[in-house]
Each structure stands twice: as structure tokens, then as C-alpha cells.
Amino acid sequence: MKPPPFAYHRPDTAEEAVQLLTEYGPDARVLAGGQSLLPLLNRRLVRPIALVDVARLAALRGTGRQDGALRVGALTTHAALERTADPHVRDGLPVLPETARLIGHLPVRVRGTVGGSLAHADPAAEWCLLAVLLDADLDVLGPEGQRTIPAAEFFTGAHRTALAPGDLLTGVRFPRPAATAAVAEYGPQRGSLPLVAAGAEIVLGPDGRIAATRIALGGVEDRPVRSGTAEQALLGGVPEPRLLDHAARLAAKDLDPRADHRAPAGYRRDLARTLTGRTLAASLARSTARLQEATAP
Ligand SMILES: Cc1cc2nc3c(=O)[nH]c(=O)nc-3n(C[C@H](O)[C@H](O)[C@H](O)COP(=O)(O)OP(=O)(O)OC[C@H]3O[C@@H](n4cnc5c(N)ncnc54)[C@H](O)[C@@H]3O)c2cc1C
């Protein structure tokens, strides 16, 4: 099938893009990498009257530091992050390139963008999971100017976000390094969205106990969720396999999994438990290695 007719605009600045989006209102769509939008258009599942192609907005590409945070421009592609040489990413947030590598297959990663993925808000999308796991802030330019939306408030449901008509997502900021964070995921088909993805970060204190931790799960509910009970259970504990297993059980128990044509709810819960255990173990291994490096004579 072919897409329905639409007006096509290719602005040179973010301000111009917002002006166009505001003029058209809810009937306009931003076109970034097109990896999610074009299939929807071709199947006529969306019928925008105008597309605002943001490909020329070079200022929205790439990574950089901003007030101690790592900023990733909305138009940065998955492949660009996968291959980045930026030391702030490689050393401080290695989980970003590692996760980028898990997305789809190469042609999708070369075109698809971080901002497009966040705005599309698929419940299983890796960038949405990482934004929630790492307490990211999302920068938005709208008709009233710039504003920032914390990731915890950005995702409001499956394919639903706090973006309003006229809004352009300009970037995402990760407020602090998370060198030990890890992601694990499972999907029956290589090259497509996972069924369930889990992210975790364990930081060990000098005494070898768990000083800080985060756990988030994607693909289980209608948006990525943090596992507060499991995080609490880990805090201050000695990081033994039994404790990690206990936390993984708690994380899975707390969920309200959805069921769809891809998997029943119980299967998603089981996956959540297994993947949480796996990603906690991966993060612990990193944290242990860092502690050993720091205390080596
Ligand atoms: C075969 C295949 C496999 C895939 N596998 C995965 C996977 O494993 N994991 C995964 O996460 N994704 C996967 N995807 C989706 C892919 O990551 C897309 O790149 C991503 O979801 C959307 O990014 P995009 O730049 O292509 O956005 P587009 O398709 O251009 O846009 C998507 C939506 O976001 C809106 N939008 C885009 N940019 C902005 C912005 N800056 N501000 C406001 N709104 C905006 C658009 O209007 C549209 O509604 C897959 C896609 C395909 C085709």
C-alpha cells in the first residue's frame, strides 16, 4: 500500500520546525529516521496531513556534555551511538553503545534515531528503558519555548508520551555516569523489538556491599517501569547470588504484565525474572571489577 497524500516540509532550524508543527497542530508528524513512521504511513495506520522532516537539523545530532550530564541529540542515530568514540559515553555510559547494538538490524540502526525511538514510545524499546533506568531528562522545544520532562513522566502509555502538538523532542540528558549499568533482553526474532528487556545498575561501596542500585523493565507493562521493591531489597546487602535471585523474583512479582499476540502475561513475567537476574549479575560483575581496580595496590 502507498501512504495517503501529505504536505512535506524540510525546515532548516528547530524553531522553524516547531512553527510548522504548531501551524498544523495534531495533524502533523515529525519525520526523523522514518523506521517506525513510514511503515505506519504505508499501511495507512496514521494519516497526517503534513510531515515535518527534521533531517537538516544538524544541531540535534551527536553527543556532548551539558552541566555534568551527557546530552544525546534527538537526531543521533542508533548506529552513531553504537560506534561513538566519545570518551564520556565509552567510559561513563558504556551501556549506551552496547544497547544501541541490540536494536533491530544495521539498516534500521543507520537510519533510526534516539529521539524517534523515545517519541514513538514502544513499551519494549531499548532507549525508553534506558531513559527510565537512568533517570534521564528529555528536552523539548514547543510553541511556548524550551522545557524538560523527566523520563518517569514522559511515557504515559503504549505509544503515548507527554509530547503535545507542536512539540519537537530535541535531546535526552543522562544526568550522571553509570559505568556499571547493563541491559539484557529476549525476543524470539533477531532484528526486531524484544519481548522483554531488563536494565540494572549495581554500585558497590568500599565495604563490598550494595551502595546504590536501579532496576527497570521494558516490554512487560505499557511503558518501562522501575522496580522499587527489588531495589530496596538489594540496598545495603552483600551481593550474593541468593540476594540477586530474591530481587529478581520481587521485580517480577511487582509487575502487571500485558498479554498480546506475541506472548501471554505469565511468559512476560517469567522473562522479566530471568532477565533481571541476568542483568543484575552483569552489572555486579562490572561493579566488582571496578572495586578491585580501585583497591588494587
Ligand atoms: C525491522 C525493524 C526492527 C526494529 N527493531 C527495533 C528494536 O529492536 N528496538 C527498538 O527500540 N526499535 C526498533 N525498531 C524501531 C526503530 O528503532 C526506530 O528507529 C525508532 O522506533 C523510531 O526512530 P525513527 O528515527 O525512525 O523515527 P520515525 O519513524 O521518523 O518517527 C517515529 C515517531 O516519533 C515521532 N518523532 C520522531 N522524532 C521526533 C522528535 N525529534 N520529536 C518529536 N517527535 C518525533 C514521529 O512523528 C513518529 O510519530 C525497529 C524498526 C524496524 C523497521
Side-chain angles (χ1 to χ4, degrees):
M1 242 163 129
K2 285 186 179 167
F6 51 79
Y8 175 80
H9 297 275
R10 210 173 192 208
D12 290 313
T13 65
E15 289 72 19
E16 210 186 310
V18 169
Q19 197 181 329
L20 284 161
L21 291 167
T22 308
E23 279 166 21
Y24 283 106
D27 296 323
R29 289 277 185 136
V30 174
L31 174 64
Q35 296 305 292
S36 295
L37 184 56
L38 294 185
L40 292 175
L41 275 175
N42 287 339
R43 283 187 277 156
R44 302 199 171 197
L45 295 173
V46 292
R47 292 169 171 267
I49 59 169
L51 289 189
V52 178
D53 184 344
V54 290
R56 282 203 187 129
L57 310 186
L60 304 192
R61 287 185 202 283
T63 57
R65 298 280 284 172
Q66 190 181 329
D67 302 329
L70 175 84
R71 184 167 196 281
V72 180
L75 285 186
T76 310
T77 62
H78 313 312
L81 264 181
E82 181 183 355
R83 300 167 186 163
T84 184
D86 182 340
H88 297 299
V89 182
R90 291 258 157 227
D91 301 339
L93 283 153
V95 71
L96 300 188
E98 285 165 12
T99 303
R101 206 164 299 134
L102 299 175
I103 295 176
H105 39 72
L106 191 60
V108 171
R109 298 200 293 277
V110 166
R111 296 184 185 93
T113 65
V114 174
S117 185
L118 292 165
H120 189 59
D122 191 291
E126 287 89 348
W127 294 130
C128 305
L129 173 76
L130 279 184
V132 169
L133 176 74
L134 302 172
D135 271 337
D137 288 312
L138 284 85
D139 292 328
V140 178
L141 183 65
E144 311 298 329
Q146 278 281 359
R147 68 185 195 284
T148 296
I149 308 174
E153 294 165 23
F154 185 80
F155 304 105
T156 55
H159 300 290
R160 290 185 184 281
T161 69
L163 289 174
D167 280 347
L168 176 71
L169 181 62
T170 54
V172 53
R173 277 177 291 128
F174 296 93
R176 53 176 188 84
T180 63
V183 162
E185 65 176 38
Y186 173 76
Q189 239 179 324
R190 178 89 188 97
S192 69
L193 280 147
L195 259 185
V196 174
E201 182 191 12
I202 287 182
V203 179
L204 295 178
D207 58 357
R209 288 177 179 266
I210 298 174
T213 184
R214 286 157 190 274
I215 301 169
L217 285 149
V220 187
E221 301 195 7
D222 67 354
R223 67 198 90 169
V225 288
R226 284 275 293 275
S227 301
T229 321
E231 291 173 4
Q232 281 305 317
L234 287 172
L235 266 184
V238 177
E240 289 170 343
R242 256 185 29 195
L243 179 63
L244 302 197
D245 188 48
H246 174 60
R249 278 172 199 271
L250 286 178
K253 192 167 153 241
D254 261 5
L255 294 164
D256 183 12
R258 63 204 171 103
D260 59 18
H261 67 283
R262 293 187 78 198
Y267 186 57
R268 281 196 159 88
R269 194 190 297 282
D270 289 348
L271 274 181
R273 182 183 150 199
T274 304
L275 293 169
T276 303
R278 206 172 282 172
T279 188
L280 280 171
S283 182
L284 175 62
R286 289 187 164 174
S287 200
T288 306
R290 284 176 75 84
L291 189 63
Q292 282 167 352
E293 263 172 44
T295 53

CSV table of all heavy atoms in Angstrom, one decimal, residues 8-25 28-31 50-60 141-143 145-146 165-170:
chain,number,residue,atom,x,y,z
A,8,TYR,N,4.8,18.1,2.6
A,8,TYR,CA,6.1,17.7,3.1
A,8,TYR,C,6.9,19.0,3.3
A,8,TYR,O,7.0,19.9,2.4
A,8,TYR,CB,6.8,16.8,2.0
A,8,TYR,CG,8.2,16.5,2.4
A,8,TYR,CD1,8.5,15.5,3.3
A,8,TYR,CD2,9.3,17.2,1.8
A,8,TYR,CE1,9.8,15.2,3.6
A,8,TYR,CE2,10.6,16.9,2.0
A,8,TYR,CZ,10.9,15.9,3.0
A,8,TYR,OH,12.2,15.6,3.2
A,9,HIS,N,7.5,19.1,4.5
A,9,HIS,CA,8.3,20.3,4.8
A,9,HIS,C,9.7,19.8,5.3
A,9,HIS,O,9.8,18.8,6.1
A,9,HIS,CB,7.7,21.2,5.9
A,9,HIS,CG,6.3,21.7,5.5
A,9,HIS,ND1,6.2,22.9,4.8
A,9,HIS,CD2,5.1,21.2,5.6
A,9,HIS,CE1,4.9,23.1,4.5
A,9,HIS,NE2,4.2,22.2,5.0
A,10,ARG,N,10.7,20.6,5.0
A,10,ARG,CA,12.1,20.3,5.4
A,10,ARG,C,12.7,21.5,6.0
A,10,ARG,O,13.5,22.2,5.3
A,10,ARG,CB,12.9,19.7,4.3
A,10,ARG,CG,13.9,18.7,4.7
A,10,ARG,CD,14.6,18.1,3.5
A,10,ARG,NE,15.3,17.0,4.0
A,10,ARG,CZ,16.4,16.5,3.3
A,10,ARG,NH1,16.8,17.1,2.2
A,10,ARG,NH2,17.1,15.5,3.8
A,11,PRO,N,12.4,21.9,7.2
A,11,PRO,CA,12.9,23.1,7.8
A,11,PRO,C,14.4,23.1,8.1
A,11,PRO,O,15.0,22.0,8.2
A,11,PRO,CB,12.1,23.3,9.1
A,11,PRO,CG,11.7,21.9,9.5
A,11,PRO,CD,11.5,21.1,8.2
A,12,ASP,N,15.0,24.3,8.2
A,12,ASP,CA,16.4,24.4,8.4
A,12,ASP,C,16.8,24.6,9.9
A,12,ASP,O,17.9,24.4,10.3
A,12,ASP,CB,17.0,25.6,7.6
A,12,ASP,CG,17.0,25.3,6.1
A,12,ASP,OD1,17.4,24.2,5.8
A,12,ASP,OD2,16.5,26.2,5.4
A,13,THR,N,15.8,25.0,10.7
A,13,THR,CA,16.1,25.2,12.1
A,13,THR,C,15.0,24.5,12.9
A,13,THR,O,13.8,24.3,12.5
A,13,THR,CB,16.1,26.7,12.5
A,13,THR,OG1,14.7,27.2,12.3
A,13,THR,CG2,17.1,27.5,11.6
A,14,ALA,N,15.3,24.3,14.2
A,14,ALA,CA,14.3,23.7,15.1
A,14,ALA,C,13.2,24.6,15.4
A,14,ALA,O,12.0,24.2,15.4
A,14,ALA,CB,15.0,23.3,16.5
A,15,GLU,N,13.4,25.9,15.4
A,15,GLU,CA,12.4,26.9,15.6
A,15,GLU,C,11.4,26.8,14.5
A,15,GLU,O,10.2,26.9,14.7
A,15,GLU,CB,13.0,28.3,15.8
A,15,GLU,CG,13.7,28.6,17.1
A,15,GLU,CD,15.1,27.8,17.1
A,15,GLU,OE1,15.6,27.4,16.1
A,15,GLU,OE2,15.6,27.7,18.3
A,16,GLU,N,11.9,26.7,13.2
A,16,GLU,CA,11.1,26.7,12.1
A,16,GLU,C,10.2,25.4,12.1
A,16,GLU,O,9.0,25.4,11.8
A,16,GLU,CB,12.0,26.7,10.8
A,16,GLU,CG,11.4,27.3,9.6
A,16,GLU,CD,12.3,27.0,8.4
A,16,GLU,OE1,13.5,27.3,8.5
A,16,GLU,OE2,11.9,26.5,7.4
A,17,ALA,N,10.8,24.3,12.5
A,17,ALA,CA,10.1,23.0,12.6
A,17,ALA,C,8.9,23.2,13.6
A,17,ALA,O,7.8,22.7,13.3
A,17,ALA,CB,11.1,21.9,13.1
A,18,VAL,N,9.2,23.8,14.8
A,18,VAL,CA,8.2,24.0,15.8
A,18,VAL,C,7.0,24.9,15.2
A,18,VAL,O,5.9,24.6,15.5
A,18,VAL,CB,8.8,24.5,17.1
A,18,VAL,CG1,7.7,24.9,18.1
A,18,VAL,CG2,9.7,23.5,17.7
A,19,GLN,N,7.4,25.9,14.5
A,19,GLN,CA,6.4,26.8,13.9
A,19,GLN,C,5.5,26.0,13.0
A,19,GLN,O,4.3,26.1,13.0
A,19,GLN,CB,7.1,27.9,13.2
A,19,GLN,CG,6.2,29.1,12.9
A,19,GLN,CD,7.0,30.2,12.1
A,19,GLN,OE1,8.2,30.3,12.3
A,19,GLN,NE2,6.3,30.9,11.3
A,20,LEU,N,6.1,25.2,12.1
A,20,LEU,CA,5.3,24.3,11.2
A,20,LEU,C,4.4,23.4,12.0
A,20,LEU,O,3.2,23.2,11.7
A,20,LEU,CB,6.2,23.6,10.3
A,20,LEU,CG,6.9,24.4,9.2
A,20,LEU,CD1,8.1,23.6,8.6
A,20,LEU,CD2,5.8,24.6,8.1
A,21,LEU,N,5.0,22.7,13.0
A,21,LEU,CA,4.2,21.7,13.8
A,21,LEU,C,3.1,22.4,14.5
A,21,LEU,O,2.0,21.9,14.6
A,21,LEU,CB,5.1,21.0,14.8
A,21,LEU,CG,6.2,20.1,14.2
A,21,LEU,CD1,7.2,19.7,15.3
A,21,LEU,CD2,5.5,18.8,13.7
A,22,THR,N,3.3,23.6,14.9
A,22,THR,CA,2.3,24.4,15.6
A,22,THR,C,1.1,24.8,14.7
A,22,THR,O,0.0,24.7,15.0
A,22,THR,CB,2.9,25.6,16.3
A,22,THR,OG1,4.0,25.2,17.1
A,22,THR,CG2,1.9,26.3,17.2
A,23,GLU,N,1.5,25.2,13.5
A,23,GLU,CA,0.5,25.6,12.5
A,23,GLU,C,-0.4,24.4,12.1
A,23,GLU,O,-1.6,24.6,12.1
A,23,GLU,CB,1.2,26.1,11.2
A,23,GLU,CG,1.7,27.6,11.3
A,23,GLU,CD,2.6,28.0,10.2
A,23,GLU,OE1,2.6,27.3,9.1
A,23,GLU,OE2,3.4,28.9,10.4
A,24,TYR,N,0.2,23.3,11.9
A,24,TYR,CA,-0.6,22.1,11.5
A,24,TYR,C,-1.3,21.4,12.7
A,24,TYR,O,-2.3,20.7,12.6
A,24,TYR,CB,0.2,21.1,10.8
A,24,TYR,CG,0.6,21.4,9.4
A,24,TYR,CD1,1.8,21.9,9.0
A,24,TYR,CD2,-0.4,21.3,8.4
A,24,TYR,CE1,2.1,22.2,7.7
A,24,TYR,CE2,-0.1,21.6,7.1
A,24,TYR,CZ,1.1,22.0,6.7
A,24,TYR,OH,1.4,22.3,5.4
A,25,GLY,N,-0.8,21.6,13.9
A,25,GLY,CA,-1.4,21.1,15.1
A,25,GLY,C,-1.3,19.5,15.1
A,25,GLY,O,-0.3,19.0,14.6
A,28,ALA,N,0.0,17.1,12.1
A,28,ALA,CA,1.3,17.0,11.6
A,28,ALA,C,2.1,16.0,12.4
A,28,ALA,O,1.9,15.6,13.5
A,28,ALA,CB,2.0,18.3,11.7
A,29,ARG,N,3.1,15.4,11.7
A,29,ARG,CA,4.1,14.5,12.3
A,29,ARG,C,5.5,14.9,12.0
A,29,ARG,O,5.8,15.3,10.9
A,29,ARG,CB,3.9,13.0,11.8
A,29,ARG,CG,2.6,12.4,12.3
A,29,ARG,CD,2.8,11.8,13.6
A,29,ARG,NE,1.6,11.0,14.0
A,29,ARG,CZ,1.6,9.8,14.6
A,29,ARG,NH1,2.7,9.3,14.9
A,29,ARG,NH2,0.5,9.2,14.9
A,30,VAL,N,6.4,14.7,13.0
A,30,VAL,CA,7.8,14.9,12.8
A,30,VAL,C,8.3,13.6,12.0
A,30,VAL,O,7.8,12.5,12.4
A,30,VAL,CB,8.6,15.0,14.1
A,30,VAL,CG1,10.1,14.9,13.9
A,30,VAL,CG2,8.1,16.2,14.9
A,31,LEU,N,9.1,13.8,11.0
A,31,LEU,CA,9.7,12.6,10.3
A,31,LEU,C,11.2,12.7,10.7
A,31,LEU,O,11.9,13.6,10.4
A,31,LEU,CB,9.6,12.7,8.8
A,31,LEU,CG,10.3,11.7,8.0
A,31,LEU,CD1,9.8,10.3,8.3
A,31,LEU,CD2,10.2,12.0,6.5
A,50,ALA,N,0.5,16.6,7.2
A,50,ALA,CA,1.8,17.1,6.9
A,50,ALA,C,2.9,16.4,7.7
A,50,ALA,O,2.7,16.0,8.8
A,50,ALA,CB,1.9,18.6,7.4
A,51,LEU,N,4.1,16.2,7.0
A,51,LEU,CA,5.3,15.7,7.6
A,51,LEU,C,6.3,16.8,7.7
A,51,LEU,O,6.5,17.5,6.7
A,51,LEU,CB,5.9,14.5,6.8
A,51,LEU,CG,5.1,13.2,6.7
A,51,LEU,CD1,5.9,12.2,6.1
A,51,LEU,CD2,4.7,12.8,8.1
A,52,VAL,N,6.9,16.9,8.9
A,52,VAL,CA,8.0,17.9,9.1
A,52,VAL,C,9.3,17.1,9.2
A,52,VAL,O,9.6,16.5,10.3
A,52,VAL,CB,7.7,18.8,10.3
A,52,VAL,CG1,8.9,19.7,10.5
A,52,VAL,CG2,6.4,19.5,10.1
A,53,ASP,N,10.1,17.0,8.1
A,53,ASP,CA,11.3,16.2,8.1
A,53,ASP,C,12.4,17.0,8.8
A,53,ASP,O,12.8,18.1,8.3
A,53,ASP,CB,11.6,16.0,6.6
A,53,ASP,CG,12.8,15.1,6.4
A,53,ASP,OD1,13.6,14.9,7.4
A,53,ASP,OD2,13.0,14.6,5.3
A,54,VAL,N,13.0,16.4,9.8
A,54,VAL,CA,13.9,17.2,10.6
A,54,VAL,C,15.4,16.8,10.3
A,54,VAL,O,16.3,17.2,11.0
A,54,VAL,CB,13.7,17.0,12.1
A,54,VAL,CG1,12.4,17.7,12.6
A,54,VAL,CG2,13.6,15.5,12.5
A,55,ALA,N,15.6,16.2,9.1
A,55,ALA,CA,16.9,15.7,8.8
A,55,ALA,C,18.0,16.8,8.7
A,55,ALA,O,19.2,16.5,8.9
A,55,ALA,CB,16.8,14.9,7.4
A,56,ARG,N,17.6,18.0,8.4
A,56,ARG,CA,18.6,19.1,8.2
A,56,ARG,C,19.0,19.7,9.5
A,56,ARG,O,19.9,20.6,9.5
A,56,ARG,CB,17.9,20.2,7.3
A,56,ARG,CG,17.9,19.9,5.9
A,56,ARG,CD,17.9,21.2,5.1
A,56,ARG,NE,17.7,20.9,3.7
A,56,ARG,CZ,16.8,21.4,2.9
A,56,ARG,NH1,15.9,22.3,3.4
A,56,ARG,NH2,16.7,21.0,1.6
A,57,LEU,N,18.4,19.3,10.6
A,57,LEU,CA,18.7,20.0,11.9
A,57,LEU,C,20.0,19.4,12.5
A,57,LEU,O,19.9,18.6,13.5
A,57,LEU,CB,17.5,19.9,12.9
A,57,LEU,CG,16.2,20.3,12.3
A,57,LEU,CD1,15.1,20.3,13.3
A,57,LEU,CD2,16.3,21.7,11.6
A,58,ALA,N,21.1,19.7,11.9
A,58,ALA,CA,22.4,19.1,12.3
A,58,ALA,C,22.7,19.3,13.8
A,58,ALA,O,23.3,18.5,14.5
A,58,ALA,CB,23.5,19.7,11.5
A,59,ALA,N,22.2,20.4,14.4
A,59,ALA,CA,22.4,20.7,15.8
A,59,ALA,C,21.8,19.7,16.7
A,59,ALA,O,22.2,19.6,17.9
A,59,ALA,CB,21.9,22.1,16.2
A,60,LEU,N,20.9,18.9,16.2
A,60,LEU,CA,20.3,17.8,17.1
A,60,LEU,C,21.0,16.5,16.9
A,60,LEU,O,20.4,15.5,17.4
A,60,LEU,CB,18.8,17.7,16.7
A,60,LEU,CG,17.9,18.9,16.8
A,60,LEU,CD1,16.4,18.6,16.7
A,60,LEU,CD2,18.1,19.7,18.1
A,141,LEU,N,11.4,21.3,22.6
A,141,LEU,CA,11.1,22.7,22.2
A,141,LEU,C,9.7,22.7,21.7
A,141,LEU,O,9.3,21.9,20.8
A,141,LEU,CB,12.1,23.1,21.0
A,141,LEU,CG,12.0,24.5,20.5
A,141,LEU,CD1,12.4,25.5,21.6
A,141,LEU,CD2,12.9,24.7,19.3
A,142,GLY,N,8.9,23.6,22.3
A,142,GLY,CA,7.5,23.7,21.9
A,142,GLY,C,7.0,25.1,21.6
A,142,GLY,O,7.9,26.0,21.6
A,143,PRO,N,5.8,25.3,21.3
A,143,PRO,CA,5.3,26.6,20.9
A,143,PRO,C,5.6,27.6,22.0
A,143,PRO,O,5.8,28.8,21.7
A,143,PRO,CB,3.8,26.4,20.8
A,143,PRO,CG,3.6,25.0,20.6
A,143,PRO,CD,4.7,24.3,21.2
A,145,GLY,N,8.3,27.5,24.0
A,145,GLY,CA,9.7,27.6,24.3
A,145,GLY,C,10.2,26.2,24.7
A,145,GLY,O,9.6,25.2,24.5
A,146,GLN,N,11.4,26.2,25.4
A,146,GLN,CA,12.1,25.0,25.9
A,146,GLN,C,11.5,24.5,27.2
A,146,GLN,O,11.1,25.3,28.0
A,146,GLN,CB,13.6,25.3,26.2
A,146,GLN,CG,14.5,25.3,25.0
A,146,GLN,CD,14.8,23.9,24.5
A,146,GLN,OE1,14.4,22.9,25.1
A,146,GLN,NE2,15.6,23.8,23.4
A,165,PRO,N,0.9,18.6,20.7
A,165,PRO,CA,1.0,19.1,19.3
A,165,PRO,C,2.0,20.3,19.3
A,165,PRO,O,1.9,21.2,20.2
A,165,PRO,CB,-0.4,19.4,18.9
A,165,PRO,CG,-1.3,18.6,19.8
A,165,PRO,CD,-0.5,18.4,21.1
A,166,GLY,N,2.8,20.4,18.3
A,166,GLY,CA,3.8,21.5,18.2
A,166,GLY,C,5.1,21.2,18.8
A,166,GLY,O,6.0,22.0,18.6
A,167,ASP,N,5.2,20.1,19.6
A,167,ASP,CA,6.5,19.8,20.3
A,167,ASP,C,7.5,19.1,19.5
A,167,ASP,O,7.1,18.2,18.7
A,167,ASP,CB,6.2,19.0,21.5
A,167,ASP,CG,5.6,19.8,22.7
A,167,ASP,OD1,5.7,21.0,22.7
A,167,ASP,OD2,5.1,19.1,23.7
A,168,LEU,N,8.7,19.5,19.6
A,168,LEU,CA,9.8,18.7,19.0
A,168,LEU,C,10.7,18.3,20.1
A,168,LEU,O,11.2,19.1,20.9
A,168,LEU,CB,10.6,19.7,18.0
A,168,LEU,CG,11.8,19.1,17.4
A,168,LEU,CD1,11.4,18.1,16.3
A,168,LEU,CD2,12.6,20.2,16.7
A,169,LEU,N,11.0,17.0,20.2
A,169,LEU,CA,12.0,16.5,21.1
A,169,LEU,C,13.4,16.8,20.6
A,169,LEU,O,13.7,16.5,19.4
A,169,LEU,CB,11.8,14.9,21.3
A,169,LEU,CG,12.7,14.2,22.2
A,169,LEU,CD1,12.5,14.7,23.7
A,169,LEU,CD2,12.4,12.7,22.1
A,170,THR,N,14.2,17.5,21.4
A,170,THR,CA,15.5,18.0,20.8
A,170,THR,C,16.6,17.1,21.4
A,170,THR,O,17.7,17.1,20.7
A,170,THR,CB,15.7,19.4,21.1
A,170,THR,OG1,15.6,19.6,22.6
A,170,THR,CG2,14.7,20.3,20.4
